[in-house]
Amino acid sequence: MDERVKTGISGYDNLLGGGFIPNSINLLCGTSGCGKTLFTLSYIYNGAVNGEKSVYITMEEMKEHIVRDAKIVGLDIEKVDDEMLCIYAMSSLRANLINTKDEVESEESPLRLDNLLEFIKINYSDAVRLGLDSIVPLAIAYPDERVFRAELFRFMMSLKKMGITVIFTTEIPYSSNDTSRFGMEDFIADSVTLLRIREEWGRQIKVHKMRGSNHIRNFVDYDISSNGIKVLYK
Amino acid sequence: MSKISGDLLNFMLKWSGKSGGLILVNELKKMSVSSVDSMTLEQKGMLLDSLTRDYLSTFLGHSRFLMARAELVSILDIPLDSYMVNDKQYKRTPQSPDMLGKPTA
């Protein structure tokens, strides 16, 4: 079998045909509350404890909340070397320092993808894994959605060239059957995983797309507990 | 541009890239500081506190955080006693010896 980057999430690697393709871009999409953040954190955490420098960038959560929520599912981030598992809480910048519309949209805005890429190159140039959770708030730096799409494509391709295997998340509305919010994330990505949660079904996961690989195409149940995430597929 | 303004700006650019200038200006605005050159020791301490709390601690691991903060203390020319007394930043749980063990998931 070709080399894969294992997520370390029980059952998920089997759905993916062994794991992510190295240096690939992988989209996790789903409605609010379906576990996108915990999937991303698990991928980052499992990389870091296996000696791969891993970076988690959160747009909406404070660092201490991430650490607390991860602990609930058995990921004790504080016990991992923080040069190996890096967290960048951009939420703090958004809450404390970047206030006006002009600042958000300015050339110097930290929310602009070219500036975020420069930041990653400065601080995490040797990263192997990166989780970006989520891309939705980054769009506010771009009044023109077409520019955002082009910049997002450029950003992801640059991360690939840096040798990073990326998970990024996007949130889709409850009523939608789409796998993207901006109509293009799923085209950029090498793999697309859809998470859904409904009263009648419970939690379900489906690998919607996996470039260059055989994978399981059905919806499969998954569970989130104090023992972590378990995709119920053997 | 004075030495302290230039050094502060370079510090921010070094750690943040192009966004560093905007972040610094907004931090100063928040503190209602109009001139970096005429900051009192108390204002320098506040700037150190807010830059470390609101910014550096949001992305740097412990050792690099300490390095960046020491650099900032030096740029702001804050006396050592003063900044040690105000050292409220960054608590961290000690690492367990088996932290590189295989995940159970």
Side-chain angles (χ1 to χ4, degrees):
Chain A
M1 184 193 257
D2 51 351
E3 191 194 342
R4 292 302 173 101
V5 177
K6 295 208 176 295
T7 66
I9 298 169
S10 176
Y12 184 38
D13 287 323
N14 297 341
L15 284 191
L16 292 165
F20 294 137
I21 309 278
N23 311 338
S24 62
I25 304 299
N26 305 281
L27 170 64
L28 260 182
C29 56
T31 54
S32 172
C34 64
K36 297 184 295 296
T37 292
L38 292 176
F39 264 82
T40 309
L41 271 174
S42 298
Y43 168 70
I44 293 302
Y45 178 90
N46 291 331
V49 295
N50 280 309
E52 292 178 353
K53 182 156 184 168
S54 304
V55 180
Y56 177 74
I57 300 175
T58 172
M59 304 298 301
E60 285 161 339
E61 293 284 349
M62 293 300 177
K63 205 170 188 174
E64 55 271 28
H65 295 169
I66 290 293
V67 172
R68 180 198 63 197
D69 294 347
K71 206 174 257 181
I72 293 170
V73 294
L75 309 175
D76 199 344
I77 288 175
E78 286 176 314
K79 285 190 175 167
V80 183
D81 180 354
D82 62 10
E83 294 299 331
M84 199 56 86
L85 196 169
C86 310
I87 297 178
Y88 177 23
M90 286 190 80
S91 45
S92 178
L93 265 186
R94 294 175 63 209
N96 295 311
L97 289 170
I98 306 299
N99 307 308
T100 65
K101 187 172 180 290
D102 283 350
E103 286 166 1
V104 167
E105 294 175 4
S106 76
E107 289 284 310
E108 287 184 309
S109 170
L111 295 175
R112 282 181 60 101
L113 288 159
D114 49 350
N115 294 336
L116 179 57
L117 181 66
E118 185 191 17
F119 181 91
I120 292 168
K121 285 179 176 169
I122 290 172
N123 288 291
Y124 313 119
S125 61
D126 52 348
V128 177
R129 299 183 179 209
L130 187 137
L132 179 57
D133 185 22
S134 80
I135 59 157
V136 175
L138 293 167
I140 62 172
Y142 297 90
D144 185 340
E145 204 170 288
R146 287 169 305 180
V147 178
F148 175 62
R149 291 177 190 193
E151 289 293 314
L152 187 65
F153 177 77
R154 210 189 322 266
F155 174 76
M156 292 299 177
M157 291 308 114
S158 300
L159 292 178
K160 256 187 176 187
K161 278 187 198 157
M162 288 170 69
I164 302 176
T165 307
V166 180
I167 281 190
F168 70 108
T169 70
T170 197
E171 195 170 312
I172 50 177
Y174 278 102
S175 53
S176 170
N177 288 319
D178 286 343
T179 49
S180 70
R181 178 159 183 139
F182 301 101
M184 73 353 172
E185 304 97 296
D186 43 357
F187 290 108
I188 290 175
D190 297 298
S191 87
V192 177
T193 298
L194 175 63
L195 303 175
R196 68 182 188 183
I197 180 166
R198 296 277 199 282
E199 269 184 36
E200 60 272 33
W201 306 320
R203 295 179 185 277
Q204 291 192 318
I205 181 170
K206 179 185 174 187
V207 177
H208 182 77
K209 162 184 168 182
M210 184 79 191
R211 260 184 204 140
S213 176
N214 284 326
H215 66 279
I216 308 303
R217 291 160 203 275
N218 307 328
F219 273 106
V220 174
D221 294 339
Y222 68 98
D223 186 40
I224 299 175
S225 72
S226 57
N227 294 320
I229 299 170
K230 197 161 270 189
V231 174
L232 305 172
Y233 180 83
K234 295 289 175 198
Chain B
M1 189 185 285
S2 69
K3 181 169 186 326
I4 185 168
S5 314
D7 287 352
L8 261 181
L9 184 59
N10 285 337
F11 171 85
M12 294 300 288
L13 296 176
K14 185 178 92 176
W15 288 102
S16 324
K18 198 173 169 185
S19 304
L22 176 65
I23 292 165
L24 175 63
V25 167
N26 281 3
E27 200 65 82
L28 291 167
K29 260 197 243 167
K30 225 170 63 180
M31 292 170 48
S32 305
V33 170
S34 51
S35 164
V36 172
D37 303 315
S38 54
M39 277 195 297
T40 62
L41 184 58
E42 191 188 354
Q43 284 175 321
K44 287 178 178 180
M46 281 167 58
L47 181 61
L48 173 69
D49 265 357
S50 55
L51 272 179
T52 48
R53 183 189 56 236
D54 293 343
Y55 190 55
L56 296 175
S57 71
T58 65
F59 66 94
L60 289 176
H62 189 57
S63 56
R64 289 203 306 151
F65 173 83
L66 293 179
M67 202 168 74
R69 190 180 59 174
E71 193 181 340
L72 198 49
V73 167
S74 163
I75 290 169
L76 291 169
D77 196 20
I78 296 176
L80 191 62
D81 302 354
S82 160
Y83 111 85
M84 293 303 279
V85 169
N86 292 312
D87 187 4
K88 299 178 289 235
Q89 301 298 316
Y90 222 98
K91 290 186 200 119
R92 183 156 191 275
T93 313
Q95 289 167 16
S96 70
D98 61 346
M99 67 180 192
L100 290 177
K102 297 263 179 198
T104 49

